[in-house]
Structure formats: C-alpha cells, structure tokens
Amino acid sequence: MTASHGQPTRTPDISRVDSSPPTIGGRLLAGVLGGLGGGVVFGALMFMMGMLPMIASLVGSTSVAVGFIVHLLISVLIGLALTLLGAGLLDGTLRSALLGVVYGALWWVLGPLLLMPAALRMPVLTVDGSSLASLMGHVIYGLILGLIAAGVLRRR
C-alpha cells in the first residue's frame, strides 16, 4: 500500500501501546495486579493442599483466612519486586511468561525452602512431596504474574 505521495505506508507497531518506559505508577499497578492475580490462583491451590495454616503460622495463627491474607500480601510484595526492578524485562508474551516461571521457581527456593522454614525454626532446603507441590504453585504464580504484569505495563 502506498501513501498519496508514492511513499509506502508503515504498519504501526501495536505490540506496545506506549513505547515510553513504564512510569512508577504503572510499575506499581502491574506488580499489585500481577501479584494478586497469581496469588489468588496459587492461594486456591494452597487451600486445596491444606497449606494455608502453615502460612498463617508466620504471624502466630493457624487460621486459613489469616493464611490466605498473609499469602496475598506476600504475593503482592513479590509482584512489586519484579515490576519495580525488572519491568524492562517484561517485554512480549513469551518472554514475560518465561521470566515469570523462572521468577516463581526462584521464589520457591527463597520462600518455602529457605526463608519460611528459617522463620519457623524448621530445617531449610527440605525437598519432599509437599515442597514439590509448592514448586508447582510457585511456577503457576510466576506465570500468571509475568503475563498480567506485562499486559498492564504494555497499556501504561
């Protein structure tokens, strides 16, 4: 197709609505929404596996509801860390999905294998059936986080 002056017209790149770097507000929104999206899905899995009382024990409770709230707060904080520090890496659907999966696996090591057991005075780096189920949940969380955050950042 040519323009009226004989010059070919360009098809605009619509992969990113705004090509300027994401604002801090956009990064915050992407982290919160991505963290909540992944956290709700992962939280439902944790509920089905009976893991929420252990999360609640981080704040001295055994309540499933408290465990879910603590889990969502952690999910948002982890989402914010990704979008505040690595928003530029969330470029494209496949790349964002892969980054999310790797980020979720990293938090599986940091969270349930290191930080949580240390906080609860339990052995660290214990890999068993429960921790492998947790890996699956963290990978799903990361996938959802990466995709939602990238989608929000593309629109900001």
Side-chain angles (χ1 to χ4, degrees), residues 82-145:
L82 176 65
T83 59
L84 290 174
L85 301 174
L89 300 173
L90 295 166
D91 185 21
T93 303
L94 180 59
R95 184 173 175 170
S96 299
L98 291 173
L99 179 64
V101 165
V102 170
Y103 189 69
L106 171 69
W107 274 104
W108 171 69
V109 173
L110 292 174
L113 294 187
L114 288 172
L115 297 174
M116 191 169 81
L120 298 174
R121 295 185 172 18
M122 297 168 58
V124 298
L125 297 173
T126 301
V127 177
D128 56 18
S130 177
S131 65
L132 290 176
S134 177
L135 171 61
M136 176 191 68
H138 279 83
V139 165
I140 292 168
Y141 163 81
L143 174 67
I144 295 168
L145 166 62

Side-chain angles (χ1 to χ4, degrees), residues 35-36 39-40 42-43 46 51-78 116 120 141:
L36 283 175
V40 166
F42 187 16
M46 292 175 76
M51 294 179 163
L52 290 173
M54 180 179 282
I55 302 301
S57 70
L58 290 169
V59 295
S61 175
T62 58
S63 164
V64 169
V66 169
F68 189 69
I69 291 167
V70 169
H71 166 72
L72 287 180
L73 290 171
I74 293 168
S75 296
V76 167
L77 291 174
I78 291 171
M116 191 169 81
L120 298 174
Y141 163 81

